[in-house]
Amino acid sequence: MLKTMLNAWKTLELRKKMLFTLFIVIIFRIGSVIPVPFMNIGALQSLMGNLEDGSLFTYFNTISGDAFSRATMFAMSITPYINSSIIMQLMTVVIPALERLTKEGEEGRKKMSAITRYLTVILGLLQGTMFYFWLKNNRAPSGEMIIMYNSGWESIFTALVIIMTFTAGTALIMWLGEQINQKGVGNGISILLFAGIVSRMPALVATLWEYLQMAINMPEQASKYYIYVPLFVVVFLVVMWSIVFMNDAERRIPIQYAKRVVGRKMYGGQNTHIPIKVSGSGVMPIIFASSILSLPATIRVILGANSPSWLNAMNTALSPAGWIYPTIYFLLIIAFAYFYLTIQYNPIEMANNLRQSNATIPGLRPGKPTAEFIQKVLSKITLIGALFLGFIAILPFIFSDLTGMHNTTFLGGTSIIILVGVALETVKQMESQMMMRHYKGFLD
């Protein structure tokens, strides 16, 4: 990876793209520390410090790189864009008109991108409104108000400024990501998400250092951290290696094209394969599962003291510190992995495409037997990938319960998978661009 980046830096055009990407990331981080007007940041941070893990607000804070807890311009981060993209993927399966757009080539992709942008702004407006009313209806543990001018006509102006600022921040992040796509290196939205998560790494290092200080100052009570802190680093590196390995792992279904004679020439007869990635669903099942499990905690936080007793009991049962939350989390990840499989692959359509191309899977008849074989392969591969994703997702909870290091779970499976995936995707894009520049055409 480092060698690829060094080689890319030596190429003038790629060096400009890398510097442009870095410039956009710096703008993104600057916007992540500019506070929204009429906000008591100290009161908000004390409120966020008392929230339990597992709520939607703690998830927003992790994705935004602590920008959510500081109520900054980019507090919504890229969450509205991610939700918009997921909704559009699901809608293409349900709405035939959208499915036709995806098959219309470049023009169809442009229309789909435009719809995704509009939906992102709408979701940013709704999410910003929800965030505002949550801040308005809650106070810091000390009793301080988080939003100034919380009554009278001034409160209307305050609400408009706060909600519009959050929405404008969402639109600006989306625009910055598109600028990286056009003039930089890598996927813009993924790069910004990567930057937000990486910005929390210093906090993780500081937390590990605090545990070591505890072991030094209280050797009798905290000497175990001499072992647990290095163990955390080792586990972190092993998890990263395993994610890299699984990201490249794939099942190759052999394909053989039939031979045919046209005139005096023979065409076809090649052997190739259909690559099916083991972790083809990526991080989407984890995002879906965490969003559903965070709903009870989120509703309870919004309602505050007015939350009913049954909701409090459900929230207590689904606490990340217990065993019920990780178990349901694990099962939901497996379920959503299979759900995402049905969106990505259609075995019947794949079998029909093979038949139209005069291609077959060796030992299988075209049509239904081929579709059944592809479905069986997909199910097995998805199970392996889902079990891996589920284990990576609940590993921070297991490590936290065994070691008592509860302040390190914010860098969970979702964050690590995103970090590794974005890094690998960006390096592969650099390699492909360097290969294009060193390829000699037939006129050379």
Side-chain angles (χ1 to χ4, degrees), residues 93-402:
V93 181
V94 179
I95 303 176
L98 293 178
E99 186 178 2
R100 288 194 297 269
L101 278 179
T102 59
K103 300 178 180 179
E104 291 181 2
E106 186 64 26
E107 289 299 321
R109 284 193 293 270
K110 288 181 179 179
K111 292 179 182 179
M112 289 290 292
S113 298
I115 297 173
T116 304
R117 291 192 201 101
Y118 295 139
L119 184 58
T120 299
V121 174
I122 294 173
L123 292 179
L125 181 62
L126 294 175
Q127 190 171 306
T129 304
M130 181 191 72
F131 189 28
Y132 166 76
F133 281 105
W134 174 67
L135 296 174
K136 181 180 178 181
N137 296 330
N138 286 273
R139 291 174 178 262
S142 60
E144 293 180 272
M145 294 176 56
I146 299 174
I147 296 181
M148 307 174 188
Y149 311 113
N150 211 356
S151 60
W153 287 101
E154 294 175 339
S155 64
I156 299 177
F157 176 75
T158 301
L160 288 175
V161 170
I162 293 175
I163 294 173
M164 289 299 108
T165 303
F166 286 146
T167 307
T170 297
L172 182 56
I173 289 176
M174 182 174 58
W175 182 80
L176 292 175
E178 291 178 351
Q179 295 306 303
I180 294 179
N181 292 338
Q182 296 174 7
K183 304 175 184 178
V185 178
N187 182 283
I189 296 299
S190 299
I191 292 291
L192 297 181
L193 180 60
F194 180 90
I197 295 175
V198 167
S199 66
R200 302 200 74 190
M201 294 294 287
L204 175 63
V205 174
T207 301
L208 295 177
W209 178 250
E210 289 178 3
Y211 282 118
L212 285 178
Q213 290 292 106
M214 290 174 57
I216 295 172
N217 298 329
M218 298 182 294
E220 296 180 358
Q221 295 86 357
S223 60
K224 59 183 179 180
Y225 294 126
Y226 281 123
I227 300 175
Y228 290 159
V229 172
L231 180 62
F232 176 86
V233 177
V234 171
V235 170
F236 179 77
L237 295 176
V238 170
V239 168
M240 289 189 66
W241 177 86
S242 62
I243 292 174
V244 172
F245 177 80
M246 293 295 290
N247 189 74
D248 294 332
E250 61 184 20
R251 168 70 158 87
R252 297 179 178 180
I253 300 178
I255 299 296
Q256 186 174 16
Y257 286 90
K259 295 180 180 179
R260 55 194 179 95
V261 178
V262 180
R264 294 184 178 181
K265 294 184 178 181
M266 180 177 293
Y267 295 91
Q270 298 98 348
N271 295 324
T272 182
H273 61 269
I274 300 176
I276 300 177
K277 296 184 73 66
V278 175
S279 58
S281 56
V283 76
M284 288 303 176
I286 297 181
I287 293 177
F288 287 158
S290 60
S291 299
I292 289 180
L293 282 178
S294 65
L295 285 178
T298 304
I299 296 173
R300 180 176 177 273
V301 169
I302 293 175
L303 295 178
N306 298 323
S307 60
S309 57
W310 64 267
L311 182 60
N312 295 332
M314 180 185 296
N315 189 65
T316 303
L318 292 178
S319 173
W323 63 271
I324 299 179
Y325 181 95
T327 303
I328 299 178
Y329 193 26
F330 184 83
L331 296 176
L332 282 177
I333 289 173
I334 295 176
F336 280 118
Y338 277 97
F339 171 74
Y340 205 73
L341 168 70
T342 60
I343 298 176
Q344 285 185 307
Y345 297 99
N346 186 343
I348 298 177
E349 184 178 351
M350 294 172 67
N352 291 335
N353 291 337
L354 289 176
R355 175 188 290 177
Q356 294 172 4
S357 303
N358 292 324
T360 59
I361 298 176
L364 294 175
R365 296 172 53 192
K368 186 177 180 181
T370 300
E372 291 177 349
F373 175 78
I374 294 175
Q375 180 63 51
K376 186 183 298 184
V377 171
L378 289 173
S379 298
K380 292 180 180 179
I381 293 300
T382 302
L383 179 61
I384 296 173
L387 291 175
F388 172 75
L389 282 178
F391 176 73
I392 294 297
I394 66 173
L395 182 60
F397 301 104
I398 298 174
F399 187 86
S400 175
D401 290 339
L402 294 177

Side-chain angles (χ1 to χ4, degrees), residues 68-116:
F68 190 87
S69 62
R70 294 192 291 263
T72 64
M73 182 179 175
F74 291 159
M76 299 292 101
S77 187
I78 64 166
T79 308
Y81 183 84
I82 294 176
N83 295 336
S84 175
S85 301
I86 293 173
I87 291 173
M88 291 302 296
Q89 282 185 334
L90 297 177
M91 289 298 102
T92 53
V93 181
V94 179
I95 303 176
L98 293 178
E99 186 178 2
R100 288 194 297 269
L101 278 179
T102 59
K103 300 178 180 179
E104 291 181 2
E106 186 64 26
E107 289 299 321
R109 284 193 293 270
K110 288 181 179 179
K111 292 179 182 179
M112 289 290 292
S113 298
I115 297 173
T116 304

Side-chain angles (χ1 to χ4, degrees), residues 410-424:
F410 67 81
L411 195 67
T414 308
S415 302
I416 301 176
I417 293 174
I418 291 173
L419 291 178
V420 175
V422 173
L424 293 176

